[in-house]
Each structure stands twice: as C-alpha cells, then as structure tokens.
C-alpha cells in the first residue's frame, strides 16, 4: 500500500511576518519547476502571528504546492481561555493541519496525553488533520522503555477516535534526544520504532487503518539524511525543525522525498 509522503517544516518560535512571507515565497520558488503530482505533501508551520502572512503568500502564489499548519491549538471552541487559539480560529487563518503534543509543548508547557487526545478530537471534528508527536527521552531510551513509552503515548492520544479519523491523521515519531541536537536517530532504528507504532495502531484498530496512517520521523532531519530515511519501509516523511528555516535546505528535503511510485 502506498502512502503519500509528508514533509512538514516546524518553524517553532522563529520568523516575524515579513520573514515568514520571504521564507514561504523562497520555498515556493525552489519548488517552482517540480511536478506537483510527484511532490510529497509539503507543509509549513509558522508561529501564530505569522500564519495570516504566510497564508496570504501561499494564496498569492496559487500554486497549491505548500499547505499551512499551526504548531498548537486549544481544544475548547471559544470562551475565557486567555492566550489560546481554537481550531476554528486556526482553520479560519488557512490551517489544514495542527501539530500537537510536540515534546517542547509537553516539556515547557505541561501538555499531557489527555490534552493531546482532546486536541486531536477537536482538530478532526473541524475537518483538519492532527500531526500527533510522540518520542522518548534519552533516559527512557537508556532505561529500555522506549517502546512502552511510545505505545502508551499513542494509545492515549488516539483514545475514542474512529478508524476513519485515525486513517486521516499523521503521527510524528521524534526522539527527544535527536531534536535540535544534530544527532539524527539511525534510520533503521527510527524505522523499527515507527513500525512498532504502526503495530500499535493495528492492535487498536485494524490492518487497513495501520497501513493508511502516515508516520513521520523528526529529529535533526537534514538534506543529507532524508533519502536514507525515505528508503525505509515505514517512514512516510519528516517533521523538520532547524533545516526548515531556510528555503534551500527545506526544499532539498522536500525533493529528497519525491515519490515516483505514489501517484
Ligand atoms: P529539529 O526539530 O529538526 O531541529 O531537530 C524537529 C522538531 O522539533 O520537530
């Protein structure tokens, strides 16, 4: 079964509005001569304040090769939740995807598995796609509990979702020790964990759902690593942090994920 690859750029807390416009335009320029049908699903996730500007740049270009994501959301629809953004608000700004459960949100902002689950439900109810992050710390890896930890994160994140909803969702496996460190997880090991995640989905749902859900690798992905990562059986793409902040390196990663057998 062929799954369409996904390359998502997580800009984190970078880029003022004009910088976001320039980067968005730069990425589209780099991808200009590429056949849209062969490209992976290309996603950029600017910070909240740059979403409008980036969306405008995408619309002005009109090439439809790049889509918009937010880096976070709140699960309530509206109300007295100072500082938060609902899924509907993000959809209104042009977002089609929302990253949830990123390790930085879990570590610095107390995001729990239960919150990730509520956010996933709200995102899917609004017709958007959640990009659900999971990953182990170095301590957990050294203690030999990587698989147990990830299986638990995924099981809790997907609680009460239907198989149709799960089939549409995206998971990103991001070992915390590989994020922003330059230490990419070995591709074979990343593929092993991702295949394990797929097996967890199979256990919770069925083979079709497990074969439909796209599962990305994230953690120091670079132009030099993407081809080997994409050559693995279960890695469907990448969630890219640092290397998504320049048009050239992000576009190289996108081009490294062009899939000739996925059209
Ligand atoms: P990195 O970040 O590519 O800079 O390691 C990945 C992420 O946090 O999503």
């Amino acid at each position: 079964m062929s799954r369409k690859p996904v390359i998502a750029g997580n800009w984190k807390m970078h880029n003022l509005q004009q910088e976001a416009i320039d980067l968005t335009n730069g990425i589209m320029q780099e991808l200009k001569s590429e056949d849209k049908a062969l490209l992976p699903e290309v996603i950029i996730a600017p910070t909240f304040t740059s979403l409008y500007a980036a969306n405008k740049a995408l619309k002005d270009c009109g090439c439809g090769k790049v889509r918009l994501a937010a880096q976070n959301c709140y699960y309530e629809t509206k109300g007295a939740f100072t500082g938060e953004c609902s899924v509907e608000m993000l959809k209104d700004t042009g977002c089609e995807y929302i990253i949830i459960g990123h390790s930085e949100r879990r570590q610095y902002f107390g995001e729990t598995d239960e919150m990730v689950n509520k956010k996933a439900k709200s995102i899917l109810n609004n017709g958007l796609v959640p990009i659900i992050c999971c990953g182990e710390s170095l301590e957990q890896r050294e203690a030999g509990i990587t698989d147990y930890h990830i299986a638990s994160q995924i099981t809790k994140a997907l609680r009460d979702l239907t198989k149709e909803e799960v089939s549409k969702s995206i998971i990103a496996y991001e070992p915390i020790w590989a994020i922003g460190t330059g230490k990419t997880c070995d591709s074979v090991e990343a593929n092993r964990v991702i295949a394990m995640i797929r097996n967890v989905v199979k256990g919770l749902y069925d083979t079709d759902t497990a074969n439909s859900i796209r599962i990305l690798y994230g953690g120091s992905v670079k132009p030099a690593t993407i081809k080997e990562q994409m050559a693995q059986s279960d890695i469907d793409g990448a969630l890219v942090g640092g290397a998504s902040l320049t048009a050239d390196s992000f576009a190289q990663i996108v081009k490294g994920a062009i899939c000739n057998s996925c059209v």
Side-chain angles (χ1 to χ4, degrees):
M1 161 153 206
S2 76
R3 294 177 292 267
K4 188 161 175 77
V6 177
I7 299 293
N10 173 10
W11 294 1
K12 308 195 180 185
M13 200 170 73
H14 293 284
N15 293 328
L16 302 177
Q17 295 187 67
Q18 190 56 52
E19 291 166 327
I21 292 168
D22 293 345
L23 181 51
T24 305
N25 286 335
I27 292 166
M28 289 188 296
Q29 185 60 31
E30 294 277 350
L31 300 180
K32 203 170 154 187
S33 54
E34 300 297 330
D35 181 348
K36 189 177 159 196
L38 296 179
L39 281 176
E41 246 166 74
V42 184
I43 304 168
I44 54 171
T47 192
F48 286 148
T49 53
S50 293
L51 284 172
Y52 179 82
N55 188 45
K56 185 161 185 318
L58 292 176
K59 283 207 286 208
D60 288 349
C61 166
C63 65
K65 289 180 180 170
V66 179
R67 295 147 183 240
L68 199 63
Q71 299 172 17
N72 181 31
C73 66
Y74 195 52
Y75 48 79
E76 297 289 353
T77 46
K78 60 174 73 157
F81 303 105
T82 303
E84 293 296 322
C85 276
S86 71
V87 175
E88 194 185 17
M89 289 165 182
L90 297 166
K91 187 177 179 180
D92 187 46
T93 317
C95 292
E96 295 178 78
Y97 308 78
I98 303 181
I99 300 171
I100 52 176
H102 190 280
S103 62
E104 287 151 19
R105 299 249 17 119
R106 294 178 189 259
Q107 190 181 343
Y108 305 132
F109 305 102
E111 191 159 322
T112 63
D113 290 323
E114 289 67 33
M115 289 161 77
V116 173
N117 177 245
K118 285 183 180 170
K119 290 180 182 192
K121 284 180 188 157
S122 178
I123 293 165
L124 288 158
N125 284 341
N126 280 282
L128 276 66
V129 177
I131 303 178
I132 304 165
C133 301
C134 61
E136 82 287 2
S137 65
L138 190 56
E139 294 69 35
Q140 288 167 325
R141 175 157 283 267
E142 285 172 349
I145 57 168
T146 297
D147 293 13
Y148 168 80
H149 174 69
I150 307 276
S152 157
Q153 283 185 320
I154 293 304
T155 304
K156 290 175 183 163
L158 301 183
R159 215 185 71 167
D160 295 334
L161 299 186
T162 65
K163 63 180 185 178
E164 289 74 24
E165 289 174 327
V166 173
S167 301
K168 279 187 257 176
S169 301
I170 297 174
I171 291 175
Y173 167 57
E174 299 204 301
I176 299 171
W177 48 271
I179 296 178
T181 57
K183 279 190 235 155
T184 317
C185 178
D186 174 72
S187 300
V188 172
E189 171 58 10
N191 191 56
R192 185 195 69 76
V193 177
I194 288 177
M196 186 277 297
I197 296 171
R198 212 176 285 292
N199 210 34
V200 169
V201 174
K202 183 176 162 188
L204 293 170
Y205 296 90
D206 52 25
T207 306
D208 278 357
T209 312
N211 285 339
S212 302
I213 189 167
R214 271 95 51 91
I215 312 182
L216 318 182
Y217 166 76
S220 298
V221 172
K222 308 176 211 38
T225 65
I226 190 67
K227 286 229 164 85
E228 192 187 311
Q229 287 153 344
M230 293 308 296
Q232 306 296 318
S233 60
D234 282 85
I235 302 182
D236 299 321
L239 181 55
V240 187
S244 72
L245 292 173
T246 56
D248 171 60
S249 61
F250 187 62
Q252 279 186 55
I253 293 170
V254 170
K255 289 176 197 174
I258 286 177
C259 172
N260 292 307
S261 61
C262 296
V263 270

